[in-house]
CSV table of all heavy atoms in Angstrom, one decimal:
chain,number,residue,atom,x,y,z
A,57,LEU,N,-5.2,1.5,-8.4
A,57,LEU,CA,-5.6,2.8,-7.9
A,57,LEU,C,-6.8,3.4,-8.8
A,57,LEU,O,-7.6,4.1,-8.1
A,57,LEU,CB,-4.4,3.8,-7.9
A,57,LEU,CG,-3.4,3.5,-6.8
A,57,LEU,CD1,-2.1,4.3,-7.1
A,57,LEU,CD2,-3.9,3.8,-5.5
A,58,GLU,N,-6.8,3.2,-10.1
A,58,GLU,CA,-7.8,3.7,-10.9
A,58,GLU,C,-9.1,3.0,-10.6
A,58,GLU,O,-10.2,3.5,-10.6
A,58,GLU,CB,-7.4,3.6,-12.4
A,58,GLU,CG,-8.2,4.3,-13.4
A,58,GLU,CD,-7.6,4.4,-14.7
A,58,GLU,OE1,-6.9,3.4,-15.1
A,58,GLU,OE2,-8.1,5.3,-15.4
A,59,GLN,N,-8.9,1.6,-10.4
A,59,GLN,CA,-10.1,0.8,-10.1
A,59,GLN,C,-10.8,1.3,-8.7
A,59,GLN,O,-11.9,1.3,-8.7
A,59,GLN,CB,-9.6,-0.5,-9.8
A,59,GLN,CG,-10.7,-1.6,-9.5
A,59,GLN,CD,-10.1,-3.1,-9.3
A,59,GLN,OE1,-8.9,-3.3,-9.7
A,59,GLN,NE2,-10.9,-3.9,-8.8
A,60,TYR,N,-9.9,1.7,-7.8
A,60,TYR,CA,-10.4,2.2,-6.5
A,60,TYR,C,-10.9,3.7,-6.5
A,60,TYR,O,-11.4,4.3,-5.6
A,60,TYR,CB,-9.4,2.1,-5.4
A,60,TYR,CG,-9.1,0.6,-5.1
A,60,TYR,CD1,-7.8,0.3,-4.7
A,60,TYR,CD2,-10.1,-0.3,-4.9
A,60,TYR,CE1,-7.5,-1.0,-4.4
A,60,TYR,CE2,-9.9,-1.6,-4.5
A,60,TYR,CZ,-8.5,-2.0,-4.3
A,60,TYR,OH,-8.2,-3.4,-3.9
A,61,GLY,N,-10.6,4.3,-7.7
A,61,GLY,CA,-11.0,5.7,-7.8
A,61,GLY,C,-10.2,6.8,-7.3
A,61,GLY,O,-10.5,7.9,-7.1
A,62,VAL,N,-8.9,6.4,-7.0
A,62,VAL,CA,-7.9,7.2,-6.3
A,62,VAL,C,-7.2,8.1,-7.4
A,62,VAL,O,-6.9,9.3,-7.2
A,62,VAL,CB,-6.8,6.5,-5.6
A,62,VAL,CG1,-5.9,7.4,-4.9
A,62,VAL,CG2,-7.6,5.7,-4.5
A,63,VAL,N,-6.9,7.5,-8.6
A,63,VAL,CA,-6.3,8.2,-9.7
A,63,VAL,C,-7.2,8.0,-11.0
A,63,VAL,O,-8.0,7.1,-11.0
A,63,VAL,CB,-4.9,7.8,-10.1
A,63,VAL,CG1,-3.9,8.0,-8.8
A,63,VAL,CG2,-4.8,6.3,-10.5
A,64,ARG,N,-6.9,8.9,-12.0
A,64,ARG,CA,-7.6,8.6,-13.3
A,64,ARG,C,-6.5,8.7,-14.3
A,64,ARG,O,-5.4,9.4,-14.1
A,64,ARG,CB,-8.7,9.6,-13.4
A,64,ARG,CG,-8.2,11.0,-13.6
A,64,ARG,CD,-9.4,12.0,-13.8
A,64,ARG,NE,-9.0,13.3,-13.4
A,64,ARG,CZ,-9.7,14.1,-12.5
A,64,ARG,NH1,-10.7,13.5,-11.9
A,64,ARG,NH2,-9.3,15.2,-12.1
A,65,THR,N,-6.7,8.2,-15.4
A,65,THR,CA,-5.8,8.4,-16.6
A,65,THR,C,-6.5,8.9,-17.7
A,65,THR,O,-7.7,8.7,-17.9
A,65,THR,CB,-5.2,7.0,-17.0
A,65,THR,OG1,-6.3,6.1,-17.3
A,65,THR,CG2,-4.3,6.4,-15.9
A,66,GLN,N,-5.7,9.8,-18.5
A,66,GLN,CA,-6.3,10.4,-19.7
A,66,GLN,C,-5.4,10.2,-20.8
A,66,GLN,O,-4.1,10.2,-20.6
A,66,GLN,CB,-6.6,11.9,-19.6
A,66,GLN,CG,-6.6,12.5,-18.3
A,66,GLN,CD,-7.0,13.9,-18.4
A,66,GLN,OE1,-8.2,14.2,-18.6
A,66,GLN,NE2,-6.0,14.8,-18.3
A,67,GLN,N,-5.8,9.8,-22.0
A,67,GLN,CA,-4.9,9.6,-23.1
A,67,GLN,C,-4.7,11.0,-23.7
A,67,GLN,O,-5.6,11.8,-24.0
A,67,GLN,CB,-5.6,8.7,-24.1
A,67,GLN,CG,-5.4,7.2,-23.6
A,67,GLN,CD,-5.6,6.3,-24.8
A,67,GLN,OE1,-5.6,6.7,-26.0
A,67,GLN,NE2,-5.8,5.1,-24.5
A,68,GLU,N,-3.4,11.3,-24.0
A,68,GLU,CA,-3.0,12.5,-24.8
A,68,GLU,C,-2.2,12.1,-25.9
A,68,GLU,O,-1.6,11.0,-25.9
A,68,GLU,CB,-2.2,13.4,-23.8
A,68,GLU,CG,-3.0,14.0,-22.7
A,68,GLU,CD,-2.2,15.0,-21.9
A,68,GLU,OE1,-1.0,15.3,-22.2
A,68,GLU,OE2,-2.8,15.5,-20.9
A,69,ILE,N,-2.2,12.9,-26.9
A,69,ILE,CA,-1.4,12.7,-28.1
A,69,ILE,C,0.0,13.0,-27.8
A,69,ILE,O,0.4,14.1,-27.3
A,69,ILE,CB,-1.9,13.5,-29.4
A,69,ILE,CG1,-3.3,13.1,-29.7
A,69,ILE,CG2,-0.9,13.4,-30.5
A,69,ILE,CD1,-4.1,13.9,-30.7
A,70,ASN,N,0.9,12.1,-28.1
A,70,ASN,CA,2.3,12.3,-27.9
A,70,ASN,C,3.0,12.3,-29.3
A,70,ASN,O,3.2,11.2,-29.9
A,70,ASN,CB,3.0,11.1,-27.0
A,70,ASN,CG,4.4,11.4,-26.7
A,70,ASN,OD1,5.0,12.4,-26.9
A,70,ASN,ND2,5.0,10.4,-26.1
A,71,PRO,N,3.3,13.4,-29.9
A,71,PRO,CA,3.8,13.6,-31.3
A,71,PRO,C,4.9,12.5,-31.6
A,71,PRO,O,6.0,12.4,-30.8
A,71,PRO,CB,4.3,15.0,-31.4
A,71,PRO,CG,3.5,15.7,-30.3
A,71,PRO,CD,3.4,14.7,-29.2
A,72,GLY,N,4.7,11.8,-32.5
A,72,GLY,CA,5.7,10.8,-33.0
A,72,GLY,C,5.6,9.4,-32.2
A,72,GLY,O,6.3,8.5,-32.5
A,73,HIS,N,4.8,9.4,-31.2
A,73,HIS,CA,4.7,8.1,-30.5
A,73,HIS,C,3.3,7.8,-30.2
A,73,HIS,O,3.0,7.1,-29.2
A,73,HIS,CB,5.4,8.4,-29.1
A,73,HIS,CG,6.8,8.7,-29.2
A,73,HIS,ND1,7.4,10.0,-29.2
A,73,HIS,CD2,7.9,7.8,-29.3
A,73,HIS,CE1,8.7,9.8,-29.4
A,73,HIS,NE2,9.0,8.5,-29.4
A,74,ASN,N,2.3,8.1,-31.0
A,74,ASN,CA,0.9,7.8,-30.9
A,74,ASN,C,0.2,8.5,-29.6
A,74,ASN,O,0.3,9.6,-29.5
A,74,ASN,CB,0.7,6.3,-30.9
A,74,ASN,CG,1.0,5.6,-32.2
A,74,ASN,OD1,1.0,6.3,-33.2
A,74,ASN,ND2,1.5,4.5,-32.2
A,75,ARG,N,-0.2,7.8,-28.7
A,75,ARG,CA,-0.8,8.3,-27.5
A,75,ARG,C,-0.1,7.9,-26.2
A,75,ARG,O,0.5,6.8,-26.3
A,75,ARG,CB,-2.3,7.9,-27.6
A,75,ARG,CG,-3.1,8.4,-28.6
A,75,ARG,CD,-4.5,8.0,-28.5
A,75,ARG,NE,-5.3,8.4,-29.6
A,75,ARG,CZ,-6.0,9.5,-29.6
A,75,ARG,NH1,-6.1,10.3,-28.6
A,75,ARG,NH2,-6.7,9.9,-30.6
A,76,VAL,N,-0.4,8.6,-25.2
A,76,VAL,CA,0.3,8.2,-23.9
A,76,VAL,C,-0.8,8.5,-22.9
A,76,VAL,O,-1.6,9.4,-23.0
A,76,VAL,CB,1.6,9.2,-23.7
A,76,VAL,CG1,1.3,10.6,-23.6
A,76,VAL,CG2,2.3,8.6,-22.5
A,77,LYS,N,-0.8,7.6,-21.8
A,77,LYS,CA,-1.8,7.7,-20.7
A,77,LYS,C,-1.1,8.6,-19.6
A,77,LYS,O,0.0,8.2,-19.1
A,77,LYS,CB,-2.1,6.4,-20.1
A,77,LYS,CG,-3.2,5.7,-20.9
A,77,LYS,CD,-3.6,4.4,-20.1
A,77,LYS,CE,-4.7,3.7,-20.9
A,77,LYS,NZ,-5.1,2.5,-20.0
A,78,ILE,N,-1.8,9.6,-19.3
A,78,ILE,CA,-1.3,10.5,-18.2
A,78,ILE,C,-2.1,10.1,-16.9
A,78,ILE,O,-3.2,10.1,-16.9
A,78,ILE,CB,-1.5,12.0,-18.5
A,78,ILE,CG1,-0.8,12.4,-19.9
A,78,ILE,CG2,-1.1,12.8,-17.4
A,78,ILE,CD1,0.7,12.3,-19.9
A,79,VAL,N,-1.3,10.0,-15.8
A,79,VAL,CA,-1.8,9.6,-14.5
A,79,VAL,C,-1.9,10.8,-13.7
A,79,VAL,O,-1.0,11.5,-13.6
A,79,VAL,CB,-0.9,8.6,-13.8
A,79,VAL,CG1,-1.4,8.1,-12.5
A,79,VAL,CG2,-0.7,7.3,-14.7
A,80,GLU,N,-3.1,11.0,-13.1
A,80,GLU,CA,-3.3,12.2,-12.2
A,80,GLU,C,-4.2,11.7,-11.1
A,80,GLU,O,-5.1,10.9,-11.2
A,80,GLU,CB,-3.9,13.4,-12.9
A,80,GLU,CG,-5.2,13.1,-13.6
A,80,GLU,CD,-5.6,14.3,-14.4
A,80,GLU,OE1,-4.8,15.2,-14.6
A,80,GLU,OE2,-6.8,14.3,-14.7
A,81,PRO,N,-4.0,12.3,-9.9
A,81,PRO,CA,-4.8,12.0,-8.7
A,81,PRO,C,-6.3,12.6,-9.0
A,81,PRO,O,-6.4,13.5,-9.6
A,81,PRO,CB,-4.3,12.5,-7.6
A,81,PRO,CG,-3.3,13.6,-8.0
A,81,PRO,CD,-2.9,13.2,-9.4
A,82,VAL,N,-7.2,11.9,-8.4
A,82,VAL,CA,-8.6,12.4,-8.5
A,82,VAL,C,-8.9,13.5,-7.5
A,82,VAL,O,-9.4,14.5,-7.8
A,82,VAL,CB,-9.7,11.3,-8.2
A,82,VAL,CG1,-11.0,11.8,-8.1
A,82,VAL,CG2,-9.6,10.2,-9.2
A,83,ALA,N,-8.2,13.5,-6.3
A,83,ALA,CA,-8.5,14.5,-5.3
A,83,ALA,C,-7.1,15.3,-5.1
A,83,ALA,O,-6.1,14.8,-5.3
A,83,ALA,CB,-8.9,13.9,-4.0
A,84,GLU,N,-7.3,16.5,-4.5
A,84,GLU,CA,-6.1,17.3,-4.2
A,84,GLU,C,-5.4,16.6,-3.1
A,84,GLU,O,-4.1,16.8,-2.9
A,84,GLU,CB,-6.5,18.8,-3.9
A,84,GLU,CG,-6.9,19.5,-5.0
A,84,GLU,CD,-7.3,20.9,-4.7
A,84,GLU,OE1,-6.7,21.4,-3.6
A,84,GLU,OE2,-8.0,21.6,-5.4
A,85,ARG,N,-6.1,16.1,-2.1
A,85,ARG,CA,-5.5,15.6,-0.8
A,85,ARG,C,-6.1,14.2,-0.7
A,85,ARG,O,-7.2,13.9,-1.0
A,85,ARG,CB,-5.9,16.5,0.3
A,85,ARG,CG,-5.1,16.3,1.4
A,85,ARG,CD,-5.4,17.4,2.5
A,85,ARG,NE,-5.8,16.6,3.8
A,85,ARG,CZ,-6.9,16.8,4.3
A,85,ARG,NH1,-7.7,17.6,4.1
A,85,ARG,NH2,-7.1,15.9,5.4
A,86,SER,N,-5.2,13.2,0.0
A,86,SER,CA,-5.7,11.9,0.3
A,86,SER,C,-5.4,11.7,1.6
A,86,SER,O,-4.3,12.0,2.2
A,86,SER,CB,-5.2,10.9,-0.7
A,86,SER,OG,-3.9,10.9,-0.8
A,87,GLU,N,-6.1,10.8,2.4
A,87,GLU,CA,-5.9,10.6,3.8
A,87,GLU,C,-6.3,9.0,4.0
A,87,GLU,O,-7.3,8.5,3.5
A,87,GLU,CB,-6.9,11.3,4.6
A,87,GLU,CG,-6.5,11.3,6.1
A,87,GLU,CD,-7.5,12.3,6.9
A,87,GLU,OE1,-7.4,13.4,6.5
A,87,GLU,OE2,-8.0,11.7,7.8
A,88,LEU,N,-5.3,8.3,4.6
A,88,LEU,CA,-5.4,6.9,4.9
A,88,LEU,C,-5.7,6.8,6.3
A,88,LEU,O,-4.9,7.2,7.1
A,88,LEU,CB,-4.2,6.2,4.4
A,88,LEU,CG,-4.2,4.7,4.7
A,88,LEU,CD1,-5.3,4.0,3.9
A,88,LEU,CD2,-2.9,4.1,4.3
A,89,ARG,N,-6.8,6.1,6.8
A,89,ARG,CA,-7.1,5.9,8.1
A,89,ARG,C,-7.3,4.3,8.3
A,89,ARG,O,-7.8,3.7,7.6
A,89,ARG,CB,-8.4,6.5,8.5
A,89,ARG,CG,-8.4,8.1,8.4
A,89,ARG,CD,-9.7,8.6,8.9
A,89,ARG,NE,-9.6,10.1,8.8
A,89,ARG,CZ,-10.4,10.9,9.5
A,89,ARG,NH1,-11.2,10.4,10.4
A,89,ARG,NH2,-10.3,12.2,9.4
A,90,VAL,N,-6.6,3.9,9.4
A,90,VAL,CA,-6.7,2.6,9.8
A,90,VAL,C,-7.2,2.4,11.2
A,90,VAL,O,-6.7,3.2,12.1
A,90,VAL,CB,-5.3,1.9,9.7
A,90,VAL,CG1,-5.3,0.4,10.1
A,90,VAL,CG2,-4.7,2.1,8.3
A,91,SER,N,-8.1,1.6,11.4
A,91,SER,CA,-8.7,1.3,12.7
A,91,SER,C,-8.4,-0.1,13.2
A,91,SER,O,-8.5,-1.1,12.3
A,91,SER,CB,-10.2,1.5,12.8
A,91,SER,OG,-10.5,2.9,12.5
Side-chain angles (χ1 to χ4, degrees):
L57 289 165
E58 192 169 26
Q59 180 182 349
Y60 292 141
V62 178
V63 299
R64 65 179 158 238
T65 58
Q66 346 184 77
Q67 287 198 8
E68 292 186 359
I69 295 173
N70 187 7
H73 297 95
N74 297 328
R75 296 180 182 266
V76 63
K77 277 188 179 181
I78 302 298
V79 180
E80 61 184 11
V82 172
E84 287 183 24
R85 194 176 128 229
S86 55
E87 187 174 308
L88 178 63
R89 293 182 184 205
V90 179
S91 298

